[in-house]
């Protein structure tokens, strides 16, 4: 019945209701009602002939899956276990969805509803449109109703959105929280749109081996409206429905300092053996994930340092991307996360300025990458005593171009190449009571691989 309503351009809350009476149907379609109709319905509901006649309630039950929407607007579907579920109304399906959302612990302040349906339903709708055009185009009412026809997806979203808003007590609209209903055809339809020859003027058209394989673009109105007859075969199998509630990724960003020379930036495994005692990624991301009740996390940083190199100064910008967070931490909770991470890992990692970020999060990462110069300090030994001329010679070198070979430590994951790099300046700092040891300060071009 819902497909009849939408194909005849009926709008409104009718799609959220259970099946109406024939009187109500006439009213919705703007048709006059017959007084005798009320008498017949009343008799069937309470009269003596009820035992020997089909009751009104029996007439309301749809015995078969709709061959146009494949049961979607009857709210009949197969669940993940392959069992047929008959909800009957939008509010009933919305109730089961809302219960699942609450069971999974999703924190919603709004939501957007996404619906995906099989392409065969669009093919079915197109064929019905052509059939209706062929049969009713001479009727005065047809053109007006035909132009108001509503698609299966639009009807479903309208009916489900209203119901979910009431049950979840939040409004729908553009949101990071998505409720997705994915309908998939149980098996390819064996129903083929048939072409019939209309005297000598209509040529047979090839529409594919199955309804799902034909293209609606190929069914042109000027020809198909005369030739296509909607198949009478009934579809016995409704669609499979997969329901998913998820949140688009949320980001927490800040800067980290690394004090240990035995902590890598990310989890580092070689031949199933762990390198280092921990990683910045696991220390920070591993603590944030359970607080947000997310599925997983990704760690992003503006560059990297070696496992045996400390990260000091103002720290390195980073982002933790939480996938499908069911809880979005408040500003106070984010501050608590920062304090707890710092208290638990005082000798390894320190987090600064942790906060929830949106698009500016990637700006934070790019800010670190835009800092084109990095400074290093190395302890150097030479085979002869250091002289004043050496200090002047080193200090005079500016923007020195060198070729850097791929470090041995990363050859297992990077190509053995020579890459051009720039040393902007160098400075020697002498060490008291030593003529062959000195500190070499370097200002170098940053590399994305550093």
């Amino acid at each position: 019945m819902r497909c009849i309503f939408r194909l005849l351009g009926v709008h409104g809350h009718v799609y959220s209701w259970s099946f109406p009476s024939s009187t109500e149907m006439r009213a919705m379609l703007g048709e006059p009602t017959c007084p005798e109709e009320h008498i017949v319905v009343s008799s069937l509901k309470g009269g003596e002939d009820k035992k020997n006649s089909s009751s009104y309630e029996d007439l309301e039950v749809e015995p078969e899956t709709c061959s146009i929407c494949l049961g979607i607007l009857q709210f009949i579907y197969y669940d993940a276990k392959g069992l047929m579920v008959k909800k009957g109304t939008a509010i009933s399906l919305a109730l089961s969805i809302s219960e699942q959302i609450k069971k999974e612990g999703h924190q919603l302040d709004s939501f957007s509803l996404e619906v995906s349906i099989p392409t065969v339903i669009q093919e079915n709708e197109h064929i019905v449109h052509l059939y209706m055009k062929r049969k009713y185009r001479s009727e005065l009412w047809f053109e007006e109703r035909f132009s108001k026809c509503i698609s299966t997806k639009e009807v479903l979203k309208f009916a489900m959105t209203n119901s979910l808003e009431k049950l979840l007590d939040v409004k729908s609209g553009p949101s990071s929280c998505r409720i997705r209903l994915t309908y998939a055809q149980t098996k390819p339809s064996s129903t083929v749109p048939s072409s019939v020859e209309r005297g000598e003027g209509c040529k047979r058209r090839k529409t594919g081996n199955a309804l799902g394989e034909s293209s609606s673009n190929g069914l042109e109105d000027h020809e198909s409206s005369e030739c296509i007859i909607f198949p009478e075969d009934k579809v016995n199998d409704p669609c499979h429905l997969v329901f998913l509630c998820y949140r688009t990724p949320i980001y927490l960003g800040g800067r980290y300092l690394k004090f240990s020379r035995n902590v890598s930036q990310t989890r580092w495994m070689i031949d199933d053996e762990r390198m280092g005692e921990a990683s910045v990624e696991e220390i920070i991301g591993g603590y944030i994930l359970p607080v947000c009740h997310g599925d997983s996390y990704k760690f992003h940083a503006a560059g990297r340092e070696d496992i045996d190199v400390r990260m000091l100064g103002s720290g390195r910008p980073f982002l933790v991307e939480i996938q499908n967070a069911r809880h979005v931490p408040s500003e106070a909770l984010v501050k608590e996360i920062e304090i707890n991470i710092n208290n638990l890992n005082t000798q390894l990692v320190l987090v600064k300025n942790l906060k929830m970020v949106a698009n500016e999060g990637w700006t934070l990462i790019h800010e670190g990458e835009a800092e084109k110069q990095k400074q290093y300090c190395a302890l150097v030994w030479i085979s002869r005593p250091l002289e004043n001329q050496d200090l002047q010679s080193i200090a005079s070198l500016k923007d020195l171009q060198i070729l850097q070979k791929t470090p041995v430590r990363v050859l297992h994951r990077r190509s053995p190449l020579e890459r051009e790099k720039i040393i902007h300046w160098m400075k020697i700092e002498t060490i008291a009571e030593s003529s062959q040891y000195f500190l070499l300060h370097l200002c170098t071009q940053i590399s994305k691989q550093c």
Side-chain angles (χ1 to χ4, degrees):
M1 287 189 180
R2 295 182 184 96
C3 275
I4 293 173
F5 291 147
R6 67 183 183 83
L7 291 170
L8 292 176
V10 177
H11 293 247
H13 294 278
V14 58
Y15 302 106
S16 302
W17 301 348
S18 56
F19 298 119
S21 67
S22 56
T23 304
E24 291 169 327
M25 283 184 65
R26 286 182 179 275
M28 278 181 262
L29 294 173
E31 299 291 336
T33 56
C34 176
E36 290 79 4
E37 187 177 67
H38 295 278
I39 298 173
V40 173
V41 171
S42 176
S43 175
L44 287 174
K45 282 188 173 181
E48 292 295 327
D49 294 334
K50 186 174 182 179
K51 295 180 181 179
N52 300 321
S53 304
S54 297
S55 70
Y56 173 72
E57 283 79 3
D58 290 337
L59 295 175
E60 291 181 336
V61 177
E62 292 190 307
E64 298 181 13
T65 302
C66 175
S67 56
I68 303 176
C69 71
L70 303 186
I72 291 178
L73 297 185
Q74 295 168 296
F75 304 101
I76 303 173
Y77 60 91
Y78 284 110
D79 62 14
K81 298 180 180 178
L83 301 176
M84 184 181 289
V85 179
K86 299 181 180 180
K87 293 296 182 182
T89 62
I91 191 67
S92 180
L93 177 56
L95 181 61
S96 64
I97 291 174
S98 65
E99 288 174 349
Q100 185 64 28
I101 290 174
K102 293 173 183 177
K103 182 179 178 181
E104 293 177 1
H106 289 277
Q107 177 193 50
L108 304 182
D109 51 9
S110 63
F111 72 90
S112 63
L113 182 63
E114 301 176 342
V115 176
S116 176
I117 63 175
T119 55
V120 68
I121 293 177
Q122 296 174 343
E123 298 285 354
N124 290 348
E125 291 175 351
H126 186 73
I127 294 171
V128 172
H129 289 168
L130 297 180
Y131 174 79
M132 291 173 66
K133 186 173 182 179
R134 175 191 175 193
K135 188 168 184 178
Y136 299 112
R137 62 185 171 188
S138 60
E139 301 287 342
L140 297 177
W141 55 266
F142 176 72
E143 283 301 329
E144 181 182 0
R145 290 204 179 278
F146 186 76
S147 63
K148 296 179 180 179
C149 177
I150 319 169
S151 70
T152 300
K153 183 182 290 189
E154 289 174 317
V155 168
L156 183 65
K157 290 186 73 172
F158 176 83
M160 293 299 299
T161 297
N162 291 343
S163 300
L164 286 170
E165 283 183 336
K166 295 176 182 177
L167 291 167
L168 298 173
D169 196 25
V170 293
K171 291 295 183 181
S172 65
S175 174
S176 62
C177 296
R178 314 288 174 83
I179 298 175
R180 184 169 183 80
L181 306 180
T182 302
Y183 287 89
Q185 198 176 1
T186 306
K187 57 185 179 180
S189 174
S190 59
T191 306
V192 181
S194 58
S195 296
V196 293
E197 292 188 4
R198 181 175 45 84
E200 298 178 359
C202 181
K203 298 180 181 179
R204 187 178 300 274
R205 293 177 61 86
K206 182 178 180 181
T207 57
N209 296 326
L211 184 58
E213 298 176 359
S214 61
S215 169
S216 60
N217 294 331
L219 300 174
E220 299 176 7
D221 288 356
H222 70 273
E223 186 173 338
S224 300
S225 60
E226 298 293 339
C227 305
I228 294 295
I229 299 177
F230 187 72
E232 297 180 357
D233 298 12
K234 295 295 182 182
V235 178
N236 296 319
D237 291 321
C239 295
H240 277 281
L241 171 60
V242 176
F243 153 70
L244 176 65
C245 181
Y246 69 99
R247 184 187 297 276
T248 54
I250 64 171
Y251 298 90
L252 284 84
R255 287 175 176 261
Y256 75 83
L257 284 77
K258 180 165 76 77
F259 306 122
S260 173
R261 297 186 186 276
N262 196 30
V263 171
S264 57
Q265 186 188 78
T266 56
R267 190 168 181 264
W268 190 11
M269 302 291 292
I270 298 180
D271 297 330
D272 296 328
E273 182 179 351
R274 185 189 185 94
M275 301 289 107
E277 60 178 305
S279 70
V280 177
E281 172 189 43
E282 292 168 299
I283 291 172
I284 300 177
Y287 188 88
I288 294 176
L289 180 65
V291 175
C292 296
H293 302 287
D295 290 344
S296 60
Y297 71 89
K298 295 179 181 178
F299 186 82
H300 310 275
R304 63 171 64 240
E305 69 281 336
D306 294 343
I307 187 172
D308 59 349
V309 174
R310 294 183 297 169
M311 183 65 227
L312 305 177
S314 61
R316 187 185 295 278
F318 74 89
L319 284 180
V320 176
E321 176 183 346
I322 304 295
Q323 306 287 335
N324 193 22
R326 290 157 181 80
H327 180 72
V328 179
S330 63
E331 185 176 341
L333 183 54
V334 171
K335 188 62 180 177
E336 183 181 333
I337 292 172
E338 178 181 321
I339 293 172
N340 290 338
I341 291 175
N342 293 340
N343 289 341
L344 292 172
N345 304 277
T346 55
Q347 303 302 315
L348 303 178
V349 172
L350 176 73
V351 173
K352 297 170 56 178
N353 305 323
L354 187 65
K355 61 182 178 180
M356 289 286 299
V357 295
N359 292 335
E360 70 269 19
W362 292 110
T363 304
L364 185 70
I365 294 297
H366 295 151
E367 173 189 319
E369 293 178 348
E371 295 170 2
K372 299 298 184 182
Q373 299 179 355
K374 294 291 180 181
Q375 294 187 31
Y376 299 90
C377 180
L379 178 63
V380 181
W381 177 86
I382 59 175
S383 60
R384 60 173 177 80
L386 189 67
E387 299 177 358
N388 289 334
Q389 184 180 355
D390 297 325
L391 278 67
Q392 297 174 1
S393 177
I394 291 295
S396 67
L397 296 173
K398 304 295 182 182
D399 295 329
L400 178 64
Q401 290 191 350
I402 64 169
L403 291 178
Q404 180 190 38
K405 292 183 178 180
T406 301
V408 174
R409 59 183 167 75
V410 295
L411 280 174
H412 66 284
R413 58 183 174 86
R414 291 177 61 193
S415 305
L417 300 173
E418 291 185 343
R419 296 175 174 85
E420 285 191 3
K421 298 296 172 64
I422 298 175
I423 299 176
H424 296 292
W425 55 259
M426 291 182 284
K427 181 177 67 175
I428 290 178
E429 180 182 351
T430 58
I431 298 176
E433 300 180 357
S434 176
S435 61
Q436 291 179 272
Y437 281 96
F438 62 91
L439 293 176
L440 177 64
H441 296 273
L442 304 96
C443 179
T444 71
Q445 172 191 11
I446 186 175
S447 167
K448 292 183 179 181
Q449 308 298 336
C450 71

